[in-house]
């Protein structure tokens, strides 16, 4: 029950979630499901606290269980965080592979993470100097967030699209997106 409770507020209070997850005695986790859930929530909390995790052990522990059991969205999230661990390790080919596997699942059951996966793919493509794929992935993320009404993530995608366009020297398109953000009454200025 504690893990399920943490999952309800991990996005809004990742620092509190991380403190509690770190304080849990792992020897008390008696089932494979609870070990996997703890591992997934732990890597999630680390990521949401802006702690780059290049060690894939937490993601792999979660994936070992969710590959065969449980909700598919947890499998997609495990694959996403495994991809992130490869990204932080600069193993970009492995990262793209895991993100692609995660996307195949998330697009059917977890739209928020589907958008996050597209942004992670964009980050990976820009590391390999593939601006065209970066832009395509960011456009998809923007469309996903727009379709589910995720304003905060939508603004981040718009900002990232503007930067991508500026890098491609498409300054008028970039300026247009930035002006939309700057002069919008609805924008969450934490994004800027």
């Amino acid at each position: 029950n504690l893990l399920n409770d943490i999952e309800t507020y991990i996005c809004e209070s990742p620092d509190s979630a991380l403190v509690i997850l770190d304080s849990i005695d792992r020897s008390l986790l008696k089932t494979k499901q609870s070990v996997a859930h703890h591992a997934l929530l732990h890597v999630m909390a680390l990521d949401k606290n802006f702690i780059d995790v290049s060690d894939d052990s937490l993601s792999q522990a979660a994936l070992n269980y969710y590959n065969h059991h449980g909700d598919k969205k947890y499998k997609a999230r495990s694959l996403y965080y495994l991809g992130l661990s490869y990204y932080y390790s600069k193993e970009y080919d492995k990262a793209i592979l895991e993100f692609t596997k995660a996307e195949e699942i998330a697009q059917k059951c977890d739209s928020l993470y589907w958008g996050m996966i597209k942004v992670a793919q964009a980050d990976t493509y820009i590391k390999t100097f593939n601006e065209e794929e970066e832009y395509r992935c960011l456009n998809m993320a923007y469309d996903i967030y727009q379709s589910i009404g995720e304003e905060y993530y939508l603004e981040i995608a718009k900002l990232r699209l503007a930067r991508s366009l500026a890098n491609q020297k498409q300054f008028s398109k970039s300026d247009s997106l930035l002006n939309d953000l700057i002069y919008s009454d609805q924008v969450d200025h934490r994004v800027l």
Side-chain angles (χ1 to χ4, degrees):
N1 287 339
L2 177 61
L3 295 177
N4 290 333
D5 185 45
I6 292 169
E7 188 173 356
T8 64
Y9 64 81
I10 195 166
C11 291
E12 291 80 24
S13 300
D15 50 343
S16 299
L18 185 57
V19 168
I20 294 170
L21 287 162
D22 281 339
S23 72
I24 293 175
D25 180 357
R26 291 185 181 104
S27 68
L28 298 176
L29 301 173
K30 299 295 184 193
T31 67
K32 290 179 182 180
Q33 190 275 335
S34 63
V35 170
H37 198 194
H38 180 272
L40 179 58
L41 291 173
H42 196 183
V43 74
M44 216 177 190
L46 290 167
D47 180 59
K48 296 202 179 297
N49 278 287
F50 304 104
I51 300 169
D52 299 344
V53 181
S54 57
D55 177 7
D56 67 352
S57 61
L58 289 170
S59 304
Q60 198 62 61
L63 187 58
N64 288 342
Y65 178 81
Y66 292 119
N67 255 336
H68 306 288
H69 311 283
D71 194 328
K72 291 291 183 194
K73 78 176 182 181
Y74 294 128
K75 180 178 180 180
R77 291 177 183 189
S78 300
L79 287 163
Y80 167 75
Y81 289 111
L82 182 60
L84 280 183
S85 71
Y86 291 137
Y87 173 84
Y88 294 130
S89 300
K90 297 179 172 52
E91 298 179 72
Y92 301 124
D93 291 342
K94 287 182 176 181
I96 285 294
L97 179 64
E98 299 308 326
F99 292 145
T100 302
K101 290 178 193 175
E103 179 183 13
E104 290 172 7
I105 300 165
Q107 66 184 326
K108 297 173 189 162
C109 63
D110 195 351
S111 294
L112 177 63
Y113 268 79
W114 182 22
M116 291 168 60
I117 292 162
K118 296 311 295 181
V119 170
Q121 287 173 326
D123 288 343
T124 308
Y125 283 125
I126 201 60
K127 291 290 188 184
T128 58
F129 307 103
N130 191 337
E131 291 176 346
E132 187 176 308
E133 281 300 306
E134 176 211 24
Y135 182 74
R136 186 186 66 77
C137 289
L138 290 172
N139 250 334
M140 284 187 69
Y142 181 87
D143 290 344
I144 292 163
Y145 294 141
Q146 192 169 42
S147 73
I148 61 173
E150 276 292 340
E151 290 299 319
Y152 178 73
Y153 288 98
L154 183 63
E155 292 164 5
I156 292 171
K158 190 180 279 191
L159 184 61
R160 298 287 305 280
L161 277 169
R163 186 177 70 191
S164 177
L165 288 165
N167 289 341
Q168 296 176 45
K169 301 191 182 344
Q170 296 184 37
F171 300 118
S172 62
K173 289 181 180 178
S174 177
D175 285 347
S176 176
L177 286 173
L178 289 173
N179 283 330
D180 285 351
L181 281 170
I182 292 168
Y183 296 111
S184 171
D185 293 336
Q186 304 299 318
V187 72
D188 184 339
H189 287 345
R190 293 177 298 165
V191 171
L192 301 175

